[in-house]
């Protein structure tokens, strides 16, 4: 008696259901682990205090909250965004914050996959998209930046999702008209996403000079700028005193955020502060951040012009984290799209992907002394390396892409990949057949293109 193959309609749901079950199990274990660790969700308590201060009509930037005596550091629009936190009790607020952030982990993975593999955005690929997203989300939720984001109840995942929501819109697709609104709102809350507007304008202008037409990069940049200005000006009209305080004074008081040398500060200024044994790297940081920022953004813009949106986005995100005066370890949730990008492209260099994954999953930066006594000012060489694990990883990513571009420039240009010739000939000969086969051919063609670069 022969055994027939299982019906595709009955066999397909099992992998997706398995992925969903594994993701749910991982998220549940994560939730239990956080409760057993007695996480205090300090930052969401500060957000709530900011909203309560706003409702009371008090000075936002004179406010101090929690036992850590923390102050408000975001633009005043952030307090408006946090108003819903005051509508429920503290226990329910903490529960909703954790649940919301876990959903944002899944959303971040979905958008990262769409960024790295645009073919997964097609309606026929949704099952593959969600299957992959659920498996990946079950793993990345345990990396240090995500763990710490949920530990403090931070908004990093929300900011990253808002940015990627804009940058994964397809030109001419539904909703592309409002692409940029997420980046504008994110910038109005936290400022650092504004570097994506720089990328959009730079790439858009270069492409406009080449094509002489308004492209999606420029449209997104203009929308982001318009939304940011509209929200900021509206907030200034509603909260003139707080807006004046922030934009003329608080914006430049980086010390109110925390000490630069803290091991949790994974920015360039933190590395220099620990290296120089000082809490004020000053001109050393300004000069180094300027040079590094310009070089890294040149790489990002070049990637965007070449059509490699994923690389452009990841490099821009890491550049913003590097040059910011303070980039706490939980700000580095951008490691999620980076890991997906490396896994997708470094098929023959899996140790590289493994090393980067280990850097973000090892919690290595917390292996060094860190307490209120500020021991980071007296670190030895080994401790400095551990407490610079994220910036060193970012530098390796920048250098790796630069070397890739250099190798590609040395290859003979006379060789034209077959993938650029055959599909065009097929479309001319059999347009209907070529159109039907295109969705299934795109992922393979993209992989070949990456391998040849």
């Amino acid at each position: 008696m022969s055994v027939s193959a299982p019906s595709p309609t009955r066999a397909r749901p099992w992998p997706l259901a398995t992925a969903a079950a594994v993701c749910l199990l991982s998220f549940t274990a994560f939730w239990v682990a956080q409760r057993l660790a007695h996480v205090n969700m300090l930052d969401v308590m500060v957000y709530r205090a900011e909203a309560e201060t706003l409702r009371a009509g008090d000075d936002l930037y004179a406010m101090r909250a929690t036992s850590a005596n923390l102050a408000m550091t975001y633009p005043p629009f952030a307090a408006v965004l946090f108003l819903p936190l005051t509508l429920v009790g503290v226990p329910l607020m903490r529960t909703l914050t954790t649940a919301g952030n876990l959903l944002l982990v899944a959303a971040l993975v979905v958008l990262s996959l769409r960024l790295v593999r645009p073919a997964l955005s097609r309606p026929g690929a949704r099952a593959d998209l969600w299957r992959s997203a659920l498996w990946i989300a079950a793993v990345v939720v345990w990396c240090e930046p995500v763990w710490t984001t949920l530990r403090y109840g931070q908004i990093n995942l929300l900011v990253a999702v808002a940015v990627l929501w804009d940058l994964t819109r397809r030109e001419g697709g539904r909703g592309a008209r409002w692409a940029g609104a997420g980046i504008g709102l994110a910038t109005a809350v936290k400022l650092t996403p504004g570097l994506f507007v720089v990328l959009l304008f730079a790439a858009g202008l270069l492409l406009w000079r080449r094509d002489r037409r308004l492209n999606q990069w420029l449209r997104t940049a203009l929308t982001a700028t318009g939304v940011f200005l509209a929200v900021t000006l509206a907030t200034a009209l509603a909260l003139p005193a707080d807006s004046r305080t922030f934009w003329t004074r608080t914006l430049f008081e980086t010390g109110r955020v925390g000490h630069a040398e803290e091991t949790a500060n994974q920015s360039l200024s933190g590395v220099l502060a620990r290296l120089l044994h000082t809490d004020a790297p000053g001109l050393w940081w300004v000069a180094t951040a300027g040079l590094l920022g310009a070089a890294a953004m040149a790489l990002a813009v070049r990637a965007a012009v070449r059509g490699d949106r994923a690389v452009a986005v990841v490099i821009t995100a890491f550049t913003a984290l590097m040059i910011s005066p303070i980039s706490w370890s939980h700000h580095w949730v951008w490691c999620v799209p980076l890991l997906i990008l490396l896994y997708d492209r470094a098929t023959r260099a899996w140790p590289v992907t493994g090393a980067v994954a280990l850097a973000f999953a090892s919690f290595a930066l917390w292996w060094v002394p860190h307490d209120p006594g500020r021991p980071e000012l007296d670190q030895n060489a080994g401790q400095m390396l551990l407490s610079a694990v994220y910036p060193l990883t970012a530098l390796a990513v920048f250098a790796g892409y630069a070397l890739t571009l250099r190798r590609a420039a040395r290859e003979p240009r006379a060789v034209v990949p077959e993938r650029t010739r055959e599909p065009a000939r097929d479309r001319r000969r059999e347009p209907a057949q070529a159109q039907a086969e295109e969705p299934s051919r795109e992922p393979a063609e993209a992989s070949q293109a990456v391998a040849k670069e």
Side-chain angles (χ1 to χ4, degrees):
M1 183 178 64
S2 62
V3 180
S4 60
S7 170
T9 57
R10 296 183 63 184
R12 275 180 194 167
W14 283 106
L16 182 57
T18 302
V22 170
C23 185
L24 180 60
L25 180 62
S26 177
F27 279 13
T28 302
F30 181 93
W31 195 315
V32 171
Q34 291 243 321
R35 299 286 80 78
L36 292 177
H38 302 291
V39 296
N40 53 22
M41 303 190 73
L42 200 63
D43 286 333
V44 76
M45 295 301 297
V46 176
Y47 300 157
R48 181 187 178 92
E50 293 168 4
E52 290 174 338
T53 301
L54 179 62
R55 293 182 63 177
D58 296 333
D59 186 349
L60 281 173
Y61 297 97
M63 177 217 73
R64 294 296 184 273
T66 74
S67 59
N69 200 35
L70 297 176
M72 181 172 181
T73 59
Y74 297 158
F77 173 67
V80 178
L81 185 69
F82 298 145
L83 281 174
L85 296 176
T86 64
L87 302 179
V88 297
V90 171
L92 179 57
M93 178 194 68
R94 288 177 169 173
T95 299
L96 293 176
T97 299
T98 301
N101 268 326
L102 287 173
L103 290 176
L104 286 171
V105 171
L108 178 61
V109 174
V110 168
L111 293 173
S112 299
L113 284 169
R114 290 174 57 183
L115 176 71
V116 174
R117 292 188 179 181
L120 291 175
S121 299
R122 298 178 182 273
R126 286 176 182 171
D128 292 334
L129 173 63
W130 281 102
R131 185 184 300 109
S132 301
L134 290 170
W135 280 109
I136 296 171
V139 176
V140 298
V141 72
W142 297 94
C143 69
E144 191 275 338
V146 176
W147 169 276
T148 311
T149 288
L150 273 85
R151 172 189 175 186
Y152 291 130
Q154 260 281 345
I155 60 170
N156 308 303
L157 291 165
L158 180 61
V159 170
V161 165
V163 171
L164 286 181
W165 179 261
D166 286 337
L167 296 175
T168 53
R169 307 283 185 92
R170 297 187 64 179
E171 186 171 1
R174 186 170 57 182
R177 178 181 301 179
W178 289 102
I183 296 174
L185 290 172
T187 305
V189 171
K190 213 168 181 180
L191 295 185
T192 49
L195 194 61
F196 286 99
V197 181
V198 176
L199 168 70
L200 291 166
F201 269 120
L205 288 172
L206 287 174
L207 291 172
W208 177 82
R209 288 182 59 187
R210 187 184 70 186
D211 303 330
R212 294 296 176 180
R213 67 182 183 88
L214 185 63
N215 52 69
Q216 184 65 38
W217 293 90
L218 274 179
R219 280 193 290 266
T220 304
L222 292 171
T223 302
T225 303
V227 169
F228 167 76
L229 291 176
V231 168
T232 302
L233 290 175
T235 306
L237 292 175
L239 304 170
D242 291 322
S243 296
R244 182 169 56 253
T245 299
F246 177 80
W247 294 107
T248 62
R249 190 182 71 202
T250 307
L251 175 62
F252 308 101
E253 295 175 352
T254 57
R256 71 188 279 126
V257 182
H259 298 297
E261 81 280 356
E262 291 184 44
T263 189
N265 181 17
Q266 291 292 292
S267 71
L268 190 60
S269 69
V271 174
L272 290 174
R274 294 185 289 270
L275 183 64
L276 300 174
H277 304 289
T278 177
D279 60 353
L283 291 178
W284 285 103
W285 165 66
V286 173
T288 309
L291 292 173
L292 177 65
M297 287 306 295
L299 290 175
V301 172
R302 182 168 182 178
V305 173
R306 286 164 55 92
D308 201 339
R309 184 183 295 256
V311 170
V313 170
V314 168
I315 290 181
T316 302
F318 274 38
T319 303
L321 293 169
M322 289 284 282
I323 66 177
S324 175
I326 300 289
S327 290
W328 302 125
S329 67
H330 49 76
H331 294 167
W332 289 75
V333 292
W334 286 96
C335 67
V336 174
L338 170 65
L339 290 170
I340 292 173
L341 178 65
L342 290 176
Y343 179 81
D344 182 71
R345 301 196 176 184
T347 53
R348 296 184 180 180
W350 61 265
V352 174
T353 306
V356 174
L358 183 63
F360 288 105
S362 64
F363 289 70
L365 68 148
W366 300 111
W367 298 354
V368 303
H370 55 280
D371 58 43
R374 302 176 71 180
E376 292 95 338
L377 290 173
D378 299 310
Q379 286 186 349
N380 56 39
Q383 292 170 340
M384 286 182 186
L385 286 175
L386 288 176
S387 61
V389 59
Y390 295 172
L392 289 175
T393 302
L395 288 176
V397 170
F398 298 160
Y401 183 64
L403 290 174
T404 300
L405 291 177
R406 186 176 180 181
R407 285 197 300 266
R410 290 179 176 177
E411 293 180 356
R413 296 187 179 183
V415 178
V416 179
E418 186 177 355
R419 64 183 179 89
T420 63
R421 299 194 304 264
E422 290 300 328
R425 192 162 60 239
D426 289 345
R427 291 190 189 99
R428 288 194 301 267
R429 191 167 53 219
E430 298 177 1
Q433 181 180 357
Q435 185 177 3
E437 294 177 354
E438 186 175 356
S440 62
R441 190 171 58 238
E442 184 173 344
E445 291 175 358
S447 301
Q448 293 173 9
V450 171
K452 290 180 181 179
E453 286 184 359

